[in-house]
Amino acid sequence: MTPREALTDREICERAAANDDQAFAVIISRYKTPVFAFIRRYIGADEEAHDLLQQVFVAAWQGLGRYDLDRPLGPWLTTIALNKCRDHSRKVRVRRFVRLAWPTDAPDIPDAAPTADMVINGDQELLLLERAIARLPRGLKEPLLLTVFEGFSHEQAGVHLGLSAKAIEGRTRRARQELERQINAWTDNL
């Protein structure tokens, strides 16, 4: 372990904010896996998730001077990732709208439901879950991801999303019900 890797998040952020590129590399090393997992769950596509992951760390690098060192680093990066995912989702909706406006002989938008060929091995449930999460409406997806996958309490997720803890609890419950409905519908059609 190098001396930088032994530093706390606060210490490493102070060094990174002072333009220590190696310190920022430690931040990336520590947080790239959980941030990528969050993004992947949100949008459901590896290649786009990698692109967004890069955008998250560019934004973090640019925002280090404004980062409150008294707050935990992981949730701050998750908030940046959440905002990047929201931006991405808006762009996807605009692209879909434009594609739908093409003439009728234009190619169709591919269906996001997995085919039987895609669901062959033990990863079938994970594949179905990732696709179902990606299709959830934003108001259900975000509370689910923050509480179930990121370990935020209902209160913490509520602060991030501007909702009450009770609202987060209800939306998480509805998200789980919708996931179950989608997965059941897909598996019934296989």
Side-chain angles (χ1 to χ4, degrees):
M1 181 183 291
T2 67
R4 279 188 184 85
E5 291 171 346
L7 296 173
T8 66
D9 280 353
R10 180 186 184 96
E11 294 166 331
I12 207 73
C13 285
E14 287 172 343
R15 290 184 180 202
N19 291 323
D20 182 341
D21 294 342
Q22 303 246 336
F24 193 74
V26 172
I27 292 172
I28 293 172
S29 174
R30 284 183 189 172
Y31 288 98
K32 69 181 175 188
T33 300
V35 171
F36 177 79
F38 175 83
I39 295 168
R40 176 68 174 87
R41 286 185 197 106
Y42 193 104
I43 64 169
D46 279 342
E47 187 173 320
E48 292 168 335
H50 284 289
D51 292 342
L52 289 175
L53 180 67
Q54 290 177 356
Q55 292 177 32
V56 167
F57 283 110
V58 167
W61 175 256
Q62 293 170 339
L64 267 175
R66 296 181 310 275
Y67 169 60
D68 179 0
L69 294 171
D70 293 327
R71 299 185 69 192
L73 182 59
W76 181 66
L77 292 170
T78 299
T79 300
I80 294 172
L82 178 62
N83 289 330
K84 294 296 179 188
C85 289
R86 286 174 174 169
D87 292 344
H88 173 76
S89 293
R90 278 190 290 274
K91 289 175 188 173
V92 167
R93 280 194 304 274
V94 168
R95 280 188 225 127
R96 283 186 182 152
F97 175 77
V98 169
R99 287 177 69 190
L100 288 172
W102 287 112
T104 55
D105 61 344
D108 292 334
I109 298 173
D111 186 7
T115 64
D117 295 335
M118 297 166 75
V119 187
I120 294 174
N121 59 34
D123 294 332
Q124 69 181 9
E125 290 159 355
L126 180 59
L127 174 66
L128 290 172
L129 179 63
E130 287 176 344
R131 295 205 173 188
I133 290 171
R135 296 182 89 174
L136 284 174
R138 176 177 157 187
L140 298 180
K141 182 188 317 186
E142 292 173 358
L144 178 79
L145 290 176
L146 290 176
T147 58
V148 174
F149 293 99
E150 296 304 312
F152 286 34
S153 69
H154 291 140
E155 293 79 17
Q156 292 169 323
V159 168
H160 279 330
L161 299 176
L163 299 167
S164 70
K166 196 70 170 166
I168 296 294
E169 182 181 351
R171 289 181 184 201
T172 302
R173 183 175 44 258
R174 286 196 316 269
R176 288 175 188 244
Q177 291 167 346
E178 176 60 18
L179 290 176
E180 185 177 351
R181 187 197 65 73
Q182 283 186 43
I183 291 170
N184 287 339
W186 287 338
T187 55
D188 288 346
N189 290 326
L190 294 178

